Amino acid sequence: TGDLRRLTRNARAADPDVAPDGRTIVCTVQRDEERILATLAMPDRGKVAEPVALLDDPATNWAAPRWSPDGTTIVAERRKVGGASEIVLIEVESRRMRTLVSSAEGRTISPAWTIDGQRVLFAYGDHSGFELRSVDIASRVVSRLAGTGPAHTPAPSPNGGSLAFVGYTADGFDLFEVPVADAPWSPAAAEPAPASTAAEPAA
């Protein structure tokens, strides 16, 4: 309808994603020396909500949190100041955290779930640019998508039949789409991910 309403006030919140049930938003909140991961209940019309810290690690910046299709897990970018660039999973109820991908040399950004919840798509970038990759949740095996050129911000269609992404050509950045059935995935070298870690509940 084009209706616009405020959900937060002076919260410094960004990167919102709504849970599958439509009741909870995950987001980031900017603080003086870090960007925390937070959730907030979808407020009633005419009201605002206050984000509640989900994970609040010192000197850590979170970005691009996304709910899993079943609403039990969040995938997000995580980077400690001076540390590796990571894609991690957070079990919402227990707040346990598991690292899927970690890179000390490049950047791992813009995670997105496949519709079956079995893999996470993301972009990996180094001095030569970004490329699309995927990581299997169970095995942590990483694959790369060939033939796209420099690309990032993957987004599968609701029926899983196609994959949209932002690509770069001589004309600049543009939006592209490829049929998933024709997508040429191949193994990708990956740095070993750190052992699984359990995050303490945020204060």
Side-chain angles (χ1 to χ4, degrees):
T1 65
D3 180 41
L4 181 67
R5 62 187 178 112
R6 181 189 292 271
L7 301 181
T8 62
R9 186 182 301 277
N10 300 327
R12 304 178 75 186
D15 280 349
D17 190 50
V18 182
D21 64 8
R23 299 170 58 185
T24 307
I25 299 169
V26 64
C27 64
T28 60
V29 172
Q30 184 65 51
R31 293 186 174 171
D32 290 340
E33 296 183 359
E34 63 260 343
R35 188 183 307 115
I36 73 168
L37 197 64
T39 59
L40 65 147
M42 183 71 76
D44 294 332
R45 185 170 295 277
K47 297 183 178 181
V48 296
E50 184 70 22
V52 177
L54 180 66
L55 291 176
D56 183 4
D57 302 330
T60 299
N61 290 311
W62 293 89
R66 298 294 179 264
W67 289 96
S68 63
D70 64 6
T72 65
T73 307
I74 292 167
V75 67
E77 301 173 28
R78 176 179 184 265
R79 185 158 195 171
K80 280 188 171 290
V81 174
S85 177
E86 299 175 330
I87 300 292
V88 301
L89 296 180
I90 305 100
E91 296 176 4
V92 177
E93 186 173 345
S94 67
R95 303 190 187 188
R96 289 182 62 86
M97 184 176 65
R98 181 162 72 99
T99 302
L100 282 179
V101 178
S102 179
S103 176
E105 302 298 329
R107 290 185 62 200
T108 55
I109 65 168
S110 59
W113 294 88
T114 56
I115 62 168
D116 60 6
Q118 301 301 306
R119 293 184 297 149
V120 168
L121 309 172
F122 66 100
Y124 171 79
D126 56 20
H127 60 86
S128 61
F130 281 95
E131 66 178 16
L132 297 185
R133 294 190 175 189
S134 74
V135 56
D136 184 271
I137 298 295
S139 67
R140 292 181 179 166
V141 171
V142 177
S143 302
R144 63 183 295 272
L145 182 60
T148 65
H152 59 84
T153 318
S157 63
N159 66 4
S162 61
L163 175 65
F165 60 90
V166 175
Y168 184 79
T169 69
D171 296 324
F173 291 99
D174 217 331
L175 193 62
F176 294 84
E177 182 182 17
V178 294
V180 168
D182 298 336
W185 292 97
S186 60
E191 299 175 51
S196 299
T197 55
E200 295 295 329

